Structures are given as C-alpha cells and as structure tokens.
Amino acid sequence: MLLADIARTSREVAATPARSEKIAALALLFRRTEPHEAPVVITYLAGRLPQRRTGVGWSTLREHREPAAEPGLTVLEVHETLDRIAAVSGKGAATERTRLVDGLMTAATEEEQRFLFGLIAGELRQGALDALAIEGLAAATGAAPEDVRRAVMLGGSLGAVAEALLSYGPEALTGFRLEVGRPVLPMLAQSAKDVDEALDQLGPGAVAVEEKLDGIRVQVHRDGDDVRIYTRTLDDITDRLPEVLAAARELSVESAVLDGEVIALDTEGRPRSFQEISSRVGSRLDIAGAQQTLPLFPVFFDLLAVDGRDLLALSTRERHAELARVTPEPRRVRRLVADDPNDPETRRAVREFAADVLARGHEGVVVKSLDAPYGAGRRGASWIKVKPVHTLDLVVLAAEWGHGRRTGKLSNLHLGARRPDGTFAMLGKTFKGLTDSLLAWQTERLRELAVSDDGWLVRVRPELVVEVAFDGLQRSSRYPAGVTLRFARVLRYREDKTAGEADTVETVLAMR
DNA sequence: TTCCGACAGTGGGGTCGCAAT
DNA sequence: ATTGCGACCCCACTATCGGAA
C-alpha cells in the first residue's frame, strides 16, 4: 500500500465532522489492506507511530523540504525509514536524523508531507484516533466493535489485533485475553467536585471510598519469580523500580496482575511530593543511588488476575476480596466501604474519611461502585475521583494565539500575581475552562489591551482579572516566585475587580 | 425529542537523558 | 557547564456526534 492512500484517507477523515463517515472512510481503506501491512496502516490512521520513540519532533520537522511531484513511497518503506531514524544515537545523531528525515520528506508529495508532519509530531487533527480506528476495523471485518475494543485493551496493541482480524476474521478475537506479562490498559476515573456529588453520581449501590495517592500508576505482573512493571501508557519500567519488584515477589501467589500507585514516604510516613517521586521514577542511570536517596513504596488497589484466574469481569467487591487475601495491609490503599451511600450518617463518615486522607497529606479520594467490573481502557462512570480545588484572582499579562480549532483566537493566558511595587510575577499559563464564547470575548478584549504582538504572543496592559482554579502549587525554576500552579484552569473573568485588587504573590506563597 | 456517554482536541508544568553548544 | 529537544509522568476542560432514554 502506498503512503498516498493513507494520506488521502486521512484527509477524507478530517474533512467530515460525522463520526459515521470517518468510520466508513477508515473501513474502506482497511478492506484494501494486506494483513502483513495492517499493523502499520492502522496505527498511522489512529494518528500514532508504531515506534514508541523516534527522536524526531516538531523542531526537526519544521524546516521546509521540497516535495516530490508524484507519490511513490510505500507504507512499509516509510515504516522502515522511521525504524532507522529511531535507531540513530551517539555523536552526530541530530545530523543523521535530519538527513534521514530530509530523504523521507523529499520523496513525499505535498499531501504526504502534511500527513507525515502531523503523524510524527503527534498532531494529525483528523478527528479520529484509536477509538474510531477500532470502529473502522470492526466495520471492515464484520466483527462486533465491542469485541474488537476488548481485544485491543487486553492485547495491548491495535496493530496485532488488526493483523489477526484481517488474516482470520472475527474468530481471531477470542485469542486476545488477559495474559500475565502482557499489560492491559488501566481503568481511569471521572471527577466530581466533592464526595457528595460523587456519591450522587454513583447511585444507590454500595461503594468503596479509597485514598487517592499522588504518585505514578503502575500495573505489576508477576509470573513465578518473573515480574514486569508497566506505566499507565504501558511503558515497561521494571528496571527502575526494584522496590516494587521485591514487593511483588513477597506476595503469596504464583501469578498475579496488580493495579496500584507508587509513592514515597518521609520518616514520619507522610507522602513526598509528586515532583520528587516523578524524579525518582524517571531516573534510569543510577538506580541504586536513586533508591538510597528516595526509596519507593508501592500501594495496590486492584487485582486483575491471580493464579490463572482472570478477575476483570468480577465486581470491585469480589476483586478487592481477592486483593485483600493475597496482599498485606500496608501494601493496600486505605478504604472505607459504604453500603448505603444515601444514609446521612454514612455520608458524614465518608466526608470525615476524605478529610482524614487530606490531613495525612494525600491527594484526595476515589469513590468506586462495588458492583462494577474492571473497565480496562475506560474512563468509566464507576470510579470517581475527588480532589480539593484552590482558586486565585490573577491578572492576564499576555496571551498566545491558539492552534487548530482555536486558530485566530487568543487562547493560552499568561497569569500573574501582584507584587507590592505594582508589578506582576508570572505564575504560569492556562488555556483550560474556556467556552467558545468566552474565547471570542477574551480575544476581543485582549486585543484592546494589546501593547505588542509578535504573531505568537500578544502582551497586554495588565488590567484584566481572571479567577483561576488549580490543584495546588509546585516548585518551579521557570517562574520568578519559585512556584507555579498545577492544572490551572479558568473559572470566570472578574470584571468587578481591578488589577490592583488581584491576589498577591504573598497570598500565593502562603498557600504552600 | 432530549439527554448523556464517549471521543477528540487544546494545550499546561516538571523531570529525565542525550547531544549540541 | 549549560541549553535545547524529545519523551513521558501528572492532567482539566469543552464541543460534538450519535445512540440511549
């Protein structure tokens, strides 16, 4: 198959807003795909590369290359070139990567260049990713979409499922089931603003309220003495976490798949900051040294398989009973079971539990329906997280022009807190929380206040006050106050306030 | 007919390791 | 020694389509 076929399909997919038409266009192409090229074709049309990393990003791609007049590149040819690019390392690597990218791009037509740019940079913007590729694959092969989705979640790879389906048809899907040693996409949680809202959303059934730890999510597979540890995106990080490996080997099981969080504790047993944990888990070179400096502590909250049994379809209640059987107390997340979430006494107990979790220094709680199965790869309605929210009234110092559907709109706001001398200290940026009408309003308003515009950043007179919500402060080496906001989002503009009434740096630092 | 679940898009800060400066 | 880049941890929120209710 030619790259041109993929690029054209991508353009067609992007051209229609209707998901049904996107799926139809994808299915049309998958019907013409040979099984051996399916893993590459479907991954490209899901907007990703099969290579986990290539070393090529926006900076390497942006330079103009003269396009070819006629299409000639095959999909597998492109795939091999990217394999070669990904393998480049050592002195002169950047030059060599650029040379290979030059060769690829000059062999591509203008349409193919656009496609490759979006694909490699990870911003294809065709309105379809894995989920619609799965739908298209199902349509092309006559398989049930839900069965295909399930196979991908359990098989861990869209490409492998596509190849099997195109080779053997829908019957091939039964071969994809949970296997110890092969990671499964983890279940994710929705959010609510407080525990009462979370309980209301879950309905009348029994729930568990669990502490939410602020660390790195891990999926631990143990098969005898063999242990593998995966991140949320299924990256294998076994080598970096000897403590987790040891903890898995201590369990009284032959085999198991566990879901949990890795954190670190200080000498009083209080959790260390996310930044410290992230630094430790991210360290790959001197593991022994890193382990000395910051020992990690894995805590588990779910069990997906044990001793040959697949527990995914069991209820949270049943899975947790198994977890409790095989995992010692300190290795499990603290939790409270509420059989009748509508009982006022129970609600009080839940609120108290949540307050206690926060007092212990943790991030919040996750409220889980006890009757739901493990929804691999789903942001299911049966897990709901609750974290405290802070707010500040900050001054807009500048705004960046948006991209994609926000082209022509001032989108990303630079936020500042007041200093005593009347100047402002930038605390970070945000683009979140803006509706289309607010986006239009702020674009107009900020243009009136503009003092400069370099095509990327519009600086404005610091007059507009915006109320910003955020999860907490983090240390920052980039911003002048030494702190920045975690997960900042706009709540509303405060037109009733002047910049002189905005929150001060002092107020912000007092929140630490 | 209305409601709502799933999806994609739009980007945030920090951290590491590597290569270039 | 410092800086820029790519990759990957953490992630919130809105708009939209189309099936469910």
Side-chain angles (χ1 to χ4, degrees), chain A residues 290-314:
Chain A
Q291 193 177 353
Q292 281 261 296
T293 313
L294 194 77
L296 293 174
F297 192 78
V299 188
F300 300 112
F301 50 75
D302 215 320
L303 185 65
L304 313 191
V306 64
D307 293 336
R309 284 184 296 135
D310 172 348
L311 307 182
L312 290 173
L314 297 187

Side-chain angles (χ1 to χ4, degrees), chain A residues 153-168:
Chain A
M153 299 306 146
L154 300 184
S157 156
L158 177 60
V161 172
E163 183 166 11
L165 260 177
L166 288 177
S167 299
Y168 309 111

Side-chain angles (χ1 to χ4, degrees), chain A residues 217-233:
Chain A
R217 181 92 176 257
V218 286
Q219 189 174 105
V220 179
H221 290 238
R222 174 177 161 191
D223 188 3
D225 271 349
D226 224 9
V227 177
R228 301 270 85 183
I229 305 161
Y230 302 95
T231 66
R232 198 158 86 80
T233 53

Side-chain angles (χ1 to χ4, degrees), chain A residues 96-147:
Chain A
E96 177 62 5
R97 272 198 291 262
T98 302
R99 194 185 68 78
L100 290 166
V101 170
D102 284 343
L104 181 62
M105 284 301 194
T106 49
T109 64
E110 209 174 331
E111 182 168 85
E112 290 169 326
Q113 280 195 356
R114 266 199 303 275
F115 176 76
L116 285 172
F117 190 109
L119 184 67
I120 300 171
E123 38 188 58
L124 206 48
R125 292 177 175 140
Q126 61 177 13
L129 297 170
D130 275 58
L132 291 206
I134 286 171
E135 293 277 349
L137 182 62
T141 56
E146 180 51 33
D147 292 350

Side-chain angles (χ1 to χ4, degrees), chain A residues 148-223:
Chain A
V148 181
R149 195 199 73 84
R150 194 182 144 72
V152 172
M153 299 306 146
L154 300 184
S157 156
L158 177 60
V161 172
E163 183 166 11
L165 260 177
L166 288 177
S167 299
Y168 309 111
E171 292 74 35
L173 294 179
T174 55
F176 292 93
R177 51 179 95 88
L178 180 65
E179 262 177 48
V180 179
R182 191 167 65 182
V184 172
L185 283 172
M187 180 166 177
L188 306 173
Q190 297 183 358
S191 356
K193 73 175 204 301
D194 54 41
V195 288
D196 282 291
E197 189 180 289
L199 292 171
D200 291 342
Q201 280 177 32
L202 285 176
V207 302
V209 187
E210 298 182 348
E211 57 185 355
K212 184 180 192 309
L213 308 177
D214 192 9
I216 306 293
R217 181 92 176 257
V218 286
Q219 189 174 105
V220 179
H221 290 238
R222 174 177 161 191
D223 188 3

Side-chain angles (χ1 to χ4, degrees), chain A residues 402-426:
Chain A
H403 299 89
R405 71 183 299 280
R406 288 191 177 189
T407 300
K409 296 284 189 298
L410 284 171
S411 173
N412 200 4
L413 303 174
H414 292 204
L415 306 165
R418 230 170 77 226
R419 289 201 186 94
D421 64 0
T423 63
F424 297 91
M426 185 167 170

